[in-house]
Amino acid sequence: MRPGFYERSVHEVARELIGCTLAVDGAAGVIVETEAYEAADPACHAYVGRTPRNEVLFGPPGRAYVYLSYGIHSMLNAVAEPEGSAAAVLIRALEPSEGIELMRERRGGVGLEQLCSGPGKLTQALGVGLELNGAPLDEPPFELLPSDPAWRGTEVITSTRIGITKAAELPWRYCVAGSRFVSRPWPWGQAVSRAA
DNA sequence: GCCAGGATCGTCT
DNA sequence: GACGATCCTGGCG
């Protein structure tokens, strides 16, 4: 990603990550679903203030914020906005593109559409664990590449976020319209823009 | 196909 | 001691 990409409003970053490729050690996919979380947002881990757990959110942008959900699943976020401003983009789904066999093994042989269609699934498929919390997204094992020209013009829709109880009504989920690889079909929401 | 329930553990009250 | 930014399984139709 170009310098400064993450150093903007978390909503812009969440929107523009759609269509970009996320790779971890040879396994990769195109990001088709994201959600934005900002400090003033009750659903954001940083809402309660700075703690040892959410410290990475307050640090420099462009790093990974990884945490454990329900004691089982790792969640991968991209830290956004300037240092001191706590915000992040949750990566919720990928369209698999490379290392598909490896990902399938890690995921127990499920079908292509189930490989990365959820935040817990994609971290399992990519081999992302808590040890990568705080790691820069532009250094190994991570690689984050700008959207392919083929994705230009792709329709992106917004809708309410998924799986949360606080501030659940905010329309801060972004996903590719019509994609078979999102965590859920786009039940609500409306077309907002096209990939740049 | 849909829904209810369980797994599992770090973090905060 | 309660609660998740989740996923999978099993029961039922």
Side-chain angles (χ1 to χ4, degrees):
Chain A
M1 293 284 115
R2 63 181 169 76
F5 177 86
Y6 302 98
E7 201 154 355
R8 297 177 290 161
S9 150
V10 69
H11 304 288
E12 263 180 77
V13 176
R15 164 69 187 70
E16 292 194 22
L17 278 175
I18 299 289
C20 298
T21 293
L22 170 64
V24 181
D25 264 346
V30 178
I31 298 172
V32 294
E33 182 178 347
T34 62
E35 281 178 1
Y37 288 85
E38 61 172 47
D41 165 14
C44 182
H45 287 174
Y47 185 70
V48 296
R50 194 167 186 153
T51 69
R53 176 211 203 183
N54 63 28
E55 184 181 318
V56 172
L57 287 174
F58 291 82
R63 307 234 269 228
Y65 170 53
V66 186
Y67 70 92
L68 194 63
S69 178
Y70 290 87
I72 301 173
H73 305 288
S74 298
M75 299 286 163
L76 173 63
N77 299 249
V79 175
E81 305 198 354
E83 183 159 5
S85 172
V89 177
L90 172 66
I91 313 295
R92 284 195 58 91
L94 307 177
E95 176 172 331
S97 59
E98 280 181 64
I100 290 172
E101 277 317 306
L102 174 58
M103 293 195 282
R104 202 189 294 276
E105 280 172 32
R106 288 172 172 157
R107 290 272 302 127
V110 300
L112 187 65
E113 295 175 17
Q114 324 291 327
L115 272 188
C116 302
S117 58
K121 298 179 186 179
L122 72 88
T123 53
Q124 188 188 2
L126 295 177
V128 171
L130 297 181
E131 71 279 3
L132 290 175
N133 186 36
L137 290 169
D138 60 355
E139 290 176 22
F142 286 115
E143 196 175 8
L144 205 31
L145 307 167
S147 63
D148 188 274
W151 283 78
R152 234 166 254 161
T154 298
E155 195 173 44
V156 176
I157 66 167
T158 52
S159 73
T160 51
R161 295 176 294 185
I162 290 175
I164 57 176
T165 54
K166 291 175 277 192
E169 73 288 355
L170 296 174
W172 289 351
R173 173 187 180 225
Y174 301 80
C175 69
V176 173
S179 172
R180 295 150 38 225
F181 299 94
V182 296
S183 64
R184 305 192 190 175
W186 69 72
W188 335 271
Q190 50 188 319
V192 286
S193 52
R194 289 170 184 282

